Amino acid sequence: MFYAILKFIGLIFFRIFLRLEIEGQENIPKKGPLLLACNHISLLDPPVVAAACTRQLHWMAKEELFVPVLGTIYRWLGAFPVKRGTADRAALKHGIEIMQNNEVLAIFPEGTRSKTGALGKAAPGALMMAGKVRATILPTCVIGTDVKRQGKLWPKVKVKFGKPIEFPKEVFVDKDLLTKLTNDMMDSIAALQAGDKVCR
């Protein structure tokens, strides 16, 4: 309930002050395990994408963000900490459990924010958790949340949800399959990003 209230308030706020536009909500599977994979250009990305998505999101967020007070707010918004640079088994297990419960895990496959706005490479193992559950992958692109780069008093932000990518059901999940699906995912995000002037 609290998440829904925050999401409603956030959606109104972003619609008014960031002129938020949303495309492709019809591509969001209504049920089942889902891995939402999004590019990352600003600290605004998680709340903006959460407001735009029709399902509740659970975010993996760097441990450093979970300071007193703010950490509690992040948890209310569905985030949980992960230790970067290490194999954080507890965080990985929690992420898998989220999808096993037919919920949505949201990640930034690049592993860090882009300083230029350009899409980087996915971190190794970005889809490992989805492979354990054979969760559907939802390529997502956020545009314009790096508001300072726009240099406008009234910035414009957009969230675009791409076509879902399914894990083959009858094929063994190995490194080659994960590499192929990772490339497909990043290509889809790049295609969503292409053509929007605000990205440039």
Side-chain angles (χ1 to χ4, degrees), residues 89-113:
R89 295 184 180 276
L92 294 174
K93 180 181 178 182
H94 185 57
I96 292 171
E97 289 174 346
I98 286 170
M99 290 183 286
Q100 286 176 333
N101 290 329
N102 291 319
E103 298 183 78
V104 186
L105 176 66
I107 66 166
F108 298 119
E110 297 163 279
T112 187
R113 279 177 287 162

PDB file of all heavy atoms in Angstrom, residues 89-113:
ATOM      1  N   ARG A  89      26.598 -12.949  -2.250  1.00  0.00           N
ATOM      2  CA  ARG A  89      25.709 -14.105  -2.345  1.00  0.00           C
ATOM      3  C   ARG A  89      24.334 -13.831  -1.734  1.00  0.00           C
ATOM      4  O   ARG A  89      23.317 -14.292  -2.248  1.00  0.00           O
ATOM      5  CB  ARG A  89      26.358 -15.321  -1.684  1.00  0.00           C
ATOM      6  CG  ARG A  89      27.622 -15.796  -2.393  1.00  0.00           C
ATOM      7  CD  ARG A  89      28.175 -17.058  -1.767  1.00  0.00           C
ATOM      8  NE  ARG A  89      29.378 -17.501  -2.441  1.00  0.00           N
ATOM      9  CZ  ARG A  89      29.387 -18.248  -3.547  1.00  0.00           C
ATOM     10  NH1 ARG A  89      28.231 -18.621  -4.076  1.00  0.00           N
ATOM     11  NH2 ARG A  89      30.517 -18.615  -4.106  1.00  0.00           N
ATOM     12  N   ALA A  90      24.296 -13.086  -0.637  1.00  0.00           N
ATOM     13  CA  ALA A  90      23.018 -12.790   0.014  1.00  0.00           C
ATOM     14  C   ALA A  90      22.128 -11.956  -0.905  1.00  0.00           C
ATOM     15  O   ALA A  90      20.925 -12.214  -1.023  1.00  0.00           O
ATOM     16  CB  ALA A  90      23.260 -12.060   1.330  1.00  0.00           C
ATOM     17  N   ALA A  91      22.721 -10.953  -1.562  1.00  0.00           N
ATOM     18  CA  ALA A  91      21.949 -10.096  -2.470  1.00  0.00           C
ATOM     19  C   ALA A  91      21.492 -10.886  -3.694  1.00  0.00           C
ATOM     20  O   ALA A  91      20.352 -10.742  -4.152  1.00  0.00           O
ATOM     21  CB  ALA A  91      22.784  -8.893  -2.892  1.00  0.00           C
ATOM     22  N   LEU A  92      22.373 -11.729  -4.225  1.00  0.00           N
ATOM     23  CA  LEU A  92      22.011 -12.537  -5.387  1.00  0.00           C
ATOM     24  C   LEU A  92      20.878 -13.506  -5.044  1.00  0.00           C
ATOM     25  O   LEU A  92      19.932 -13.669  -5.824  1.00  0.00           O
ATOM     26  CB  LEU A  92      23.234 -13.314  -5.886  1.00  0.00           C
ATOM     27  CG  LEU A  92      24.382 -12.481  -6.459  1.00  0.00           C
ATOM     28  CD1 LEU A  92      25.571 -13.373  -6.780  1.00  0.00           C
ATOM     29  CD2 LEU A  92      23.937 -11.720  -7.701  1.00  0.00           C
ATOM     30  N   LYS A  93      20.983 -14.117  -3.871  1.00  0.00           N
ATOM     31  CA  LYS A  93      19.937 -15.043  -3.439  1.00  0.00           C
ATOM     32  C   LYS A  93      18.605 -14.324  -3.293  1.00  0.00           C
ATOM     33  O   LYS A  93      17.551 -14.835  -3.704  1.00  0.00           O
ATOM     34  CB  LYS A  93      20.337 -15.689  -2.112  1.00  0.00           C
ATOM     35  CG  LYS A  93      19.305 -16.688  -1.579  1.00  0.00           C
ATOM     36  CD  LYS A  93      19.753 -17.286  -0.245  1.00  0.00           C
ATOM     37  CE  LYS A  93      18.696 -18.248   0.299  1.00  0.00           C
ATOM     38  NZ  LYS A  93      19.090 -18.805   1.622  1.00  0.00           N
ATOM     39  N   HIS A  94      18.645 -13.118  -2.723  1.00  0.00           N
ATOM     40  CA  HIS A  94      17.413 -12.349  -2.539  1.00  0.00           C
ATOM     41  C   HIS A  94      16.804 -11.962  -3.883  1.00  0.00           C
ATOM     42  O   HIS A  94      15.588 -12.035  -4.065  1.00  0.00           O
ATOM     43  CB  HIS A  94      17.695 -11.100  -1.715  1.00  0.00           C
ATOM     44  CG  HIS A  94      16.471 -10.317  -1.366  1.00  0.00           C
ATOM     45  ND1 HIS A  94      15.409 -10.866  -0.674  1.00  0.00           N
ATOM     46  CD2 HIS A  94      16.114  -9.026  -1.621  1.00  0.00           C
ATOM     47  CE1 HIS A  94      14.460  -9.956  -0.512  1.00  0.00           C
ATOM     48  NE2 HIS A  94      14.865  -8.830  -1.083  1.00  0.00           N
ATOM     49  N   GLY A  95      17.658 -11.590  -4.834  1.00  0.00           N
ATOM     50  CA  GLY A  95      17.167 -11.249  -6.164  1.00  0.00           C
ATOM     51  C   GLY A  95      16.488 -12.424  -6.846  1.00  0.00           C
ATOM     52  O   GLY A  95      15.435 -12.271  -7.484  1.00  0.00           O
ATOM     53  N   ILE A  96      17.066 -13.597  -6.708  1.00  0.00           N
ATOM     54  CA  ILE A  96      16.476 -14.803  -7.293  1.00  0.00           C
ATOM     55  C   ILE A  96      15.141 -15.121  -6.625  1.00  0.00           C
ATOM     56  O   ILE A  96      14.167 -15.475  -7.291  1.00  0.00           O
ATOM     57  CB  ILE A  96      17.452 -15.988  -7.159  1.00  0.00           C
ATOM     58  CG1 ILE A  96      18.683 -15.751  -8.051  1.00  0.00           C
ATOM     59  CG2 ILE A  96      16.767 -17.302  -7.533  1.00  0.00           C
ATOM     60  CD1 ILE A  96      19.796 -16.740  -7.830  1.00  0.00           C
ATOM     61  N   GLU A  97      15.099 -14.986  -5.295  1.00  0.00           N
ATOM     62  CA  GLU A  97      13.857 -15.261  -4.557  1.00  0.00           C
ATOM     63  C   GLU A  97      12.733 -14.325  -4.985  1.00  0.00           C
ATOM     64  O   GLU A  97      11.564 -14.732  -5.060  1.00  0.00           O
ATOM     65  CB  GLU A  97      14.107 -15.142  -3.059  1.00  0.00           C
ATOM     66  CG  GLU A  97      14.956 -16.270  -2.491  1.00  0.00           C
ATOM     67  CD  GLU A  97      15.306 -16.059  -1.033  1.00  0.00           C
ATOM     68  OE1 GLU A  97      15.123 -14.909  -0.534  1.00  0.00           O
ATOM     69  OE2 GLU A  97      15.777 -17.012  -0.386  1.00  0.00           O
ATOM     70  N   ILE A  98      13.066 -13.079  -5.289  1.00  0.00           N
ATOM     71  CA  ILE A  98      12.056 -12.117  -5.744  1.00  0.00           C
ATOM     72  C   ILE A  98      11.397 -12.631  -7.020  1.00  0.00           C
ATOM     73  O   ILE A  98      10.158 -12.644  -7.137  1.00  0.00           O
ATOM     74  CB  ILE A  98      12.702 -10.735  -5.989  1.00  0.00           C
ATOM     75  CG1 ILE A  98      13.011 -10.066  -4.651  1.00  0.00           C
ATOM     76  CG2 ILE A  98      11.784  -9.843  -6.839  1.00  0.00           C
ATOM     77  CD1 ILE A  98      13.869  -8.822  -4.780  1.00  0.00           C
ATOM     78  N   MET A  99      12.199 -13.088  -7.960  1.00  0.00           N
ATOM     79  CA  MET A  99      11.641 -13.580  -9.226  1.00  0.00           C
ATOM     80  C   MET A  99      10.951 -14.928  -9.055  1.00  0.00           C
ATOM     81  O   MET A  99       9.964 -15.208  -9.740  1.00  0.00           O
ATOM     82  CB  MET A  99      12.743 -13.629 -10.285  1.00  0.00           C
ATOM     83  CG  MET A  99      13.210 -12.246 -10.725  1.00  0.00           C
ATOM     84  SD  MET A  99      14.445 -12.266 -12.043  1.00  0.00           S
ATOM     85  CE  MET A  99      15.896 -12.801 -11.120  1.00  0.00           C
ATOM     86  N   GLN A 100      11.447 -15.745  -8.147  1.00  0.00           N
ATOM     87  CA  GLN A 100      10.777 -17.017  -7.867  1.00  0.00           C
ATOM     88  C   GLN A 100       9.371 -16.797  -7.313  1.00  0.00           C
ATOM     89  O   GLN A 100       8.492 -17.649  -7.476  1.00  0.00           O
ATOM     90  CB  GLN A 100      11.609 -17.851  -6.891  1.00  0.00           C
ATOM     91  CG  GLN A 100      12.848 -18.467  -7.517  1.00  0.00           C
ATOM     92  CD  GLN A 100      13.706 -19.201  -6.502  1.00  0.00           C
ATOM     93  OE1 GLN A 100      13.704 -18.877  -5.311  1.00  0.00           O
ATOM     94  NE2 GLN A 100      14.453 -20.192  -6.977  1.00  0.00           N
ATOM     95  N   ASN A 101       9.165 -15.643  -6.685  1.00  0.00           N
ATOM     96  CA  ASN A 101       7.845 -15.276  -6.164  1.00  0.00           C
ATOM     97  C   ASN A 101       7.007 -14.549  -7.215  1.00  0.00           C
ATOM     98  O   ASN A 101       6.000 -13.915  -6.870  1.00  0.00           O
ATOM     99  CB  ASN A 101       8.001 -14.394  -4.920  1.00  0.00           C
ATOM    100  CG  ASN A 101       8.538 -15.147  -3.728  1.00  0.00           C
ATOM    101  OD1 ASN A 101       8.298 -16.342  -3.574  1.00  0.00           O
ATOM    102  ND2 ASN A 101       9.287 -14.468  -2.873  1.00  0.00           N
ATOM    103  N   ASN A 102       7.449 -14.637  -8.481  1.00  0.00           N
ATOM    104  CA  ASN A 102       6.725 -14.016  -9.611  1.00  0.00           C
ATOM    105  C   ASN A 102       6.648 -12.497  -9.492  1.00  0.00           C
ATOM    106  O   ASN A 102       5.669 -11.880  -9.915  1.00  0.00           O
ATOM    107  CB  ASN A 102       5.316 -14.609  -9.739  1.00  0.00           C
ATOM    108  CG  ASN A 102       5.337 -16.052 -10.196  1.00  0.00           C
ATOM    109  OD1 ASN A 102       6.122 -16.411 -11.082  1.00  0.00           O
ATOM    110  ND2 ASN A 102       4.510 -16.883  -9.601  1.00  0.00           N
ATOM    111  N   GLU A 103       7.686 -11.922  -8.925  1.00  0.00           N
ATOM    112  CA  GLU A 103       7.758 -10.471  -8.818  1.00  0.00           C
ATOM    113  C   GLU A 103       8.807  -9.931  -9.783  1.00  0.00           C
ATOM    114  O   GLU A 103       9.411 -10.684 -10.543  1.00  0.00           O
ATOM    115  CB  GLU A 103       8.060 -10.074  -7.372  1.00  0.00           C
ATOM    116  CG  GLU A 103       6.966 -10.504  -6.400  1.00  0.00           C
ATOM    117  CD  GLU A 103       7.243 -10.036  -4.987  1.00  0.00           C
ATOM    118  OE1 GLU A 103       7.014  -8.848  -4.699  1.00  0.00           O
ATOM    119  OE2 GLU A 103       7.688 -10.866  -4.182  1.00  0.00           O
ATOM    120  N   VAL A 104       9.019  -8.598  -9.724  1.00  0.00           N
ATOM    121  CA  VAL A 104       9.899  -7.924 -10.682  1.00  0.00           C
ATOM    122  C   VAL A 104      11.181  -7.452 -10.014  1.00  0.00           C
ATOM    123  O   VAL A 104      11.144  -6.673  -9.054  1.00  0.00           O
ATOM    124  CB  VAL A 104       9.190  -6.714 -11.329  1.00  0.00           C
ATOM    125  CG1 VAL A 104      10.075  -6.125 -12.442  1.00  0.00           C
ATOM    126  CG2 VAL A 104       7.833  -7.104 -11.880  1.00  0.00           C
ATOM    127  N   LEU A 105      12.301  -7.930 -10.523  1.00  0.00           N
ATOM    128  CA  LEU A 105      13.603  -7.452 -10.090  1.00  0.00           C
ATOM    129  C   LEU A 105      14.106  -6.470 -11.145  1.00  0.00           C
ATOM    130  O   LEU A 105      14.117  -6.786 -12.332  1.00  0.00           O
ATOM    131  CB  LEU A 105      14.589  -8.610  -9.937  1.00  0.00           C
ATOM    132  CG  LEU A 105      16.027  -8.211  -9.587  1.00  0.00           C
ATOM    133  CD1 LEU A 105      16.092  -7.590  -8.194  1.00  0.00           C
ATOM    134  CD2 LEU A 105      16.959  -9.417  -9.680  1.00  0.00           C
ATOM    135  N   ALA A 106      14.507  -5.279 -10.703  1.00  0.00           N
ATOM    136  CA  ALA A 106      15.023  -4.265 -11.616  1.00  0.00           C
ATOM    137  C   ALA A 106      16.520  -4.090 -11.402  1.00  0.00           C
ATOM    138  O   ALA A 106      16.982  -4.002 -10.265  1.00  0.00           O
ATOM    139  CB  ALA A 106      14.298  -2.938 -11.400  1.00  0.00           C
ATOM    140  N   ILE A 107      17.266  -4.055 -12.495  1.00  0.00           N
ATOM    141  CA  ILE A 107      18.716  -3.902 -12.408  1.00  0.00           C
ATOM    142  C   ILE A 107      19.206  -2.900 -13.445  1.00  0.00           C
ATOM    143  O   ILE A 107      18.514  -2.591 -14.412  1.00  0.00           O
ATOM    144  CB  ILE A 107      19.459  -5.240 -12.640  1.00  0.00           C
ATOM    145  CG1 ILE A 107      19.238  -5.726 -14.089  1.00  0.00           C
ATOM    146  CG2 ILE A 107      19.043  -6.296 -11.638  1.00  0.00           C
ATOM    147  CD1 ILE A 107      20.195  -6.843 -14.494  1.00  0.00           C
ATOM    148  N   PHE A 108      20.413  -2.382 -13.210  1.00  0.00           N
ATOM    149  CA  PHE A 108      21.135  -1.599 -14.206  1.00  0.00           C
ATOM    150  C   PHE A 108      22.271  -2.487 -14.694  1.00  0.00           C
ATOM    151  O   PHE A 108      23.292  -2.622 -14.010  1.00  0.00           O
ATOM    152  CB  PHE A 108      21.687  -0.315 -13.589  1.00  0.00           C
ATOM    153  CG  PHE A 108      20.616   0.608 -13.064  1.00  0.00           C
ATOM    154  CD1 PHE A 108      20.576   0.936 -11.715  1.00  0.00           C
ATOM    155  CD2 PHE A 108      19.669   1.141 -13.908  1.00  0.00           C
ATOM    156  CE1 PHE A 108      19.600   1.792 -11.227  1.00  0.00           C
ATOM    157  CE2 PHE A 108      18.680   1.998 -13.434  1.00  0.00           C
ATOM    158  CZ  PHE A 108      18.648   2.319 -12.092  1.00  0.00           C
ATOM    159  N   PRO A 109      22.130  -3.128 -15.838  1.00  0.00           N
ATOM    160  CA  PRO A 109      23.128  -4.111 -16.280  1.00  0.00           C
ATOM    161  C   PRO A 109      24.522  -3.531 -16.492  1.00  0.00           C
ATOM    162  O   PRO A 109      25.507  -4.265 -16.421  1.00  0.00           O
ATOM    163  CB  PRO A 109      22.541  -4.647 -17.589  1.00  0.00           C
ATOM    164  CG  PRO A 109      21.548  -3.632 -18.031  1.00  0.00           C
ATOM    165  CD  PRO A 109      21.003  -3.024 -16.774  1.00  0.00           C
ATOM    166  N   GLU A 110      24.626  -2.211 -16.706  1.00  0.00           N
ATOM    167  CA  GLU A 110      25.947  -1.601 -16.868  1.00  0.00           C
ATOM    168  C   GLU A 110      26.713  -1.569 -15.549  1.00  0.00           C
ATOM    169  O   GLU A 110      27.938  -1.431 -15.545  1.00  0.00           O
ATOM    170  CB  GLU A 110      25.805  -0.183 -17.409  1.00  0.00           C
ATOM    171  CG  GLU A 110      25.189  -0.106 -18.789  1.00  0.00           C
ATOM    172  CD  GLU A 110      24.693   1.293 -19.093  1.00  0.00           C
ATOM    173  OE1 GLU A 110      23.585   1.637 -18.628  1.00  0.00           O
ATOM    174  OE2 GLU A 110      25.413   2.033 -19.790  1.00  0.00           O
ATOM    175  N   GLY A 111      25.971  -1.642 -14.434  1.00  0.00           N
ATOM    176  CA  GLY A 111      26.614  -1.685 -13.127  1.00  0.00           C
ATOM    177  C   GLY A 111      26.933  -0.332 -12.527  1.00  0.00           C
ATOM    178  O   GLY A 111      27.248  -0.240 -11.345  1.00  0.00           O
ATOM    179  N   THR A 112      26.851   0.730 -13.318  1.00  0.00           N
ATOM    180  CA  THR A 112      27.145   2.066 -12.825  1.00  0.00           C
ATOM    181  C   THR A 112      26.505   3.084 -13.746  1.00  0.00           C
ATOM    182  O   THR A 112      26.044   2.750 -14.844  1.00  0.00           O
ATOM    183  CB  THR A 112      28.671   2.304 -12.756  1.00  0.00           C
ATOM    184  OG1 THR A 112      28.940   3.557 -12.117  1.00  0.00           O
ATOM    185  CG2 THR A 112      29.282   2.326 -14.147  1.00  0.00           C
ATOM    186  N   ARG A 113      26.465   4.341 -13.300  1.00  0.00           N
ATOM    187  CA  ARG A 113      25.878   5.396 -14.124  1.00  0.00           C
ATOM    188  C   ARG A 113      26.806   5.781 -15.275  1.00  0.00           C
ATOM    189  O   ARG A 113      28.025   5.800 -15.121  1.00  0.00           O
ATOM    190  CB  ARG A 113      25.598   6.634 -13.277  1.00  0.00           C
ATOM    191  CG  ARG A 113      24.327   6.587 -12.465  1.00  0.00           C
ATOM    192  CD  ARG A 113      24.191   7.830 -11.612  1.00  0.00           C
ATOM    193  NE  ARG A 113      25.118   7.817 -10.485  1.00  0.00           N
ATOM    194  CZ  ARG A 113      25.462   8.893  -9.788  1.00  0.00           C
ATOM    195  NH1 ARG A 113      24.971  10.074 -10.104  1.00  0.00           N
ATOM    196  NH2 ARG A 113      26.294   8.790  -8.772  1.00  0.00           N
TER     197      ARG A 113
END
